[in-house]
Amino acid sequence: MTPFPGPFPFDGGTFGAAPVATGALSVALVSEHASPLAALGGVDAGGQNVHVAALAGALADRGHRVTVYTRRDARDLPEETSLRAGVRVHHVPAGPPERIPKDELLPHMDEFGRYLTRAWRDRPPDVVHSHFWMSGLAALRATRGLGLPLLHTYHALGTVKRRHQRLADPSPPQRVALETEVGLGCERIIATCRDEVAELGRMGIPASKVGVVPCGVDTELFTPRGPVAARGAHHHQLLQLGRLVPRKGAAVSVAALAQLPETELVVVGGPPVELLGHDPEVRRLRALARRTGVADRVRFTGGVPSADVPSLLRAADVVVCPGDYEPFGIVPLEAMACGRPVVASAVGGQLDTVADPATGRLVPPRDPQALARAVAELLADPVTREASGAAGRRRTLRRFGWDRVAAATEAAYCDVLDALPVVTRVGAV
């Protein structure tokens, strides 16, 4: 059996993704706020939704039966529906059946956990993998009582969020303590980058419980070949993609644009285009663009269907990812898979995904001048841009395809199952 990989060797070879000899497992993925069925681009709908949907599908491709448990947030949702062959989505009745900001969901997690206990008592999964800290709480309540193995992926840590947002952090005050409880209570933590391993160590979670498996990218959807979105009249085009929240750093991109003549910035994400004028972050960014004299060179598309994202990425000369912090950051992978160079802030998972200078540039966060200098260097050199894009494509194929990510995740499941005492073991490998 392939052993569960420890910290991912980003700078030497590929991680352990060889096939694992295993029978089909029944896998429960718990993702309380991030449904794999959700439309992307909203405040609480982003990379975790993509990750859970893609991981579920890739595990199903390896022969496993996967059920994703997510909160029922609309009255018309069925109890269970099919996402694709081998993957079911189960809507858990926890709290009112309406959209609630994720930072207000904590009071409903006990109900979520009780529901999981009832659902799994008669038909237990072989392994449970929770995503985000509140999912971990609900899953921990259920797995403790039933003797089921639990693995956990945080996707974001409260310690990091609090450090960067301080008083603006809307998380419940007990978040860090509860995240620590999840980390100590589960059998294994699957971190997504090396920076997270260090953060977990500072929380008192032993390194022996942590392995690194990165997020992935669909290298067949995100590819250099295919339609290219229409461009504006300006000579160069930058693209920023993701949720429209201040920490994603779109204000840094707008400020940098003042030093990049004949360049347009396309900002993709947020509410539908017809509602952009009511969005507070869009209003803030438009005001900044007017003050810096670049309002005619900033274009907001609003949220777009995921199928349209590759063509938008292909149209860009450079993709910018200047977030204040980034627990992992899927956008750099999507851009690299499309053969686009990336300029990203040197934070979190972007330290692992973007290879500077091979696939782009890493710059300090919250620094428009540094962002502008790095972008200008690439815009001035089309040969380097092309070489960086090609290197990024090779890097995603070699390291970040979902088949490799699923294989490494499967290896983690098998490692945990192998370590269970026979008398309490649920699954068999």
Side-chain angles (χ1 to χ4, degrees), residues 327-338:
F328 182 79
I330 288 178
V331 174
L333 290 186
E334 294 175 341
M336 290 158 57
C338 287

Side-chain angles (χ1 to χ4, degrees), residues 215-348:
C215 297
V217 64
D218 184 342
T219 56
E220 295 183 4
L221 174 64
F222 293 93
T223 169
R225 302 173 302 280
V228 178
R231 289 175 53 130
H234 299 283
H235 186 55
H236 293 297
Q237 181 174 290
L238 309 181
L239 184 136
Q240 176 156 349
L241 166 68
R243 290 183 290 140
L244 275 185
V245 292
R247 78 167 182 87
K248 292 293 185 178
V252 178
S253 299
V254 172
L257 197 63
Q259 302 175 47
L260 299 166
E262 281 302 305
T263 301
E264 177 186 41
L265 172 65
V266 179
V267 181
V268 180
V273 65
E274 65 270 15
L275 299 178
L276 283 173
H278 302 287
D279 186 86
E281 181 66 359
V282 173
R283 292 201 299 268
R284 182 177 80 95
L285 294 171
R286 283 176 169 166
L288 174 61
R290 288 193 296 270
R291 290 197 305 272
T292 54
V294 299
D296 61 329
R297 295 192 283 126
V298 180
R299 175 159 57 95
F300 296 89
T301 70
V304 301
S306 57
D308 293 346
V309 171
S311 66
L312 288 162
L313 290 167
R314 294 183 199 112
D317 295 300
V318 176
V319 176
V320 290
C321 304
D324 297 347
Y325 65 97
E326 194 59 73
F328 182 79
I330 288 178
V331 174
L333 290 186
E334 294 175 341
M336 290 158 57
C338 287
R340 300 293 86 196
V342 177
V343 177
S345 48
V347 296

Side-chain angles (χ1 to χ4, degrees), residues 108-378:
H108 306 297
M109 288 303 102
D110 278 342
E111 184 180 4
F112 200 119
R114 289 194 298 271
Y115 184 92
L116 294 178
T117 301
R118 292 192 299 271
W120 293 343
R121 184 171 286 122
D122 295 328
R123 297 181 62 185
D126 294 313
V127 65
V128 179
H129 183 180
S130 53
H131 295 261
F132 199 62
W133 68 279
M134 281 185 283
S135 297
L137 281 178
L140 190 61
R141 305 289 189 266
T143 55
R144 274 176 172 169
L146 297 173
L148 299 173
L150 174 63
L151 296 90
H152 181 71
T153 297
Y154 283 99
H155 291 279
L157 287 170
T159 53
V160 178
K161 190 172 186 180
R162 186 170 298 172
R163 183 184 313 138
H164 288 275
Q165 295 193 7
R166 298 183 183 179
L167 294 178
D169 179 9
S171 302
Q174 62 269 54
R175 173 175 175 172
V176 174
L178 293 175
E179 283 182 331
T180 304
E181 179 185 339
V182 171
L184 295 175
C186 68
E187 275 68 45
R188 184 66 54 86
I189 296 168
I190 301 180
T192 57
C193 67
R194 294 178 294 185
D195 186 66
E196 184 181 345
V197 177
E199 290 287 346
L200 290 168
R202 286 190 282 271
M203 291 167 57
I205 295 173
S208 59
K209 296 194 71 169
V210 185
V212 176
V213 179
C215 297
V217 64
D218 184 342
T219 56
E220 295 183 4
L221 174 64
F222 293 93
T223 169
R225 302 173 302 280
V228 178
R231 289 175 53 130
H234 299 283
H235 186 55
H236 293 297
Q237 181 174 290
L238 309 181
L239 184 136
Q240 176 156 349
L241 166 68
R243 290 183 290 140
L244 275 185
V245 292
R247 78 167 182 87
K248 292 293 185 178
V252 178
S253 299
V254 172
L257 197 63
Q259 302 175 47
L260 299 166
E262 281 302 305
T263 301
E264 177 186 41
L265 172 65
V266 179
V267 181
V268 180
V273 65
E274 65 270 15
L275 299 178
L276 283 173
H278 302 287
D279 186 86
E281 181 66 359
V282 173
R283 292 201 299 268
R284 182 177 80 95
L285 294 171
R286 283 176 169 166
L288 174 61
R290 288 193 296 270
R291 290 197 305 272
T292 54
V294 299
D296 61 329
R297 295 192 283 126
V298 180
R299 175 159 57 95
F300 296 89
T301 70
V304 301
S306 57
D308 293 346
V309 171
S311 66
L312 288 162
L313 290 167
R314 294 183 199 112
D317 295 300
V318 176
V319 176
V320 290
C321 304
D324 297 347
Y325 65 97
E326 194 59 73
F328 182 79
I330 288 178
V331 174
L333 290 186
E334 294 175 341
M336 290 158 57
C338 287
R340 300 293 86 196
V342 177
V343 177
S345 48
V347 296
Q350 293 178 164
L351 292 165
D352 290 341
T353 55
V354 179
D356 184 348
T359 69
R361 300 290 184 272
L362 291 169
V363 298
R366 302 184 183 185
D367 190 337
Q369 289 74 29
L371 182 67
R373 285 194 299 270
V375 169
E377 179 184 339
L378 288 168

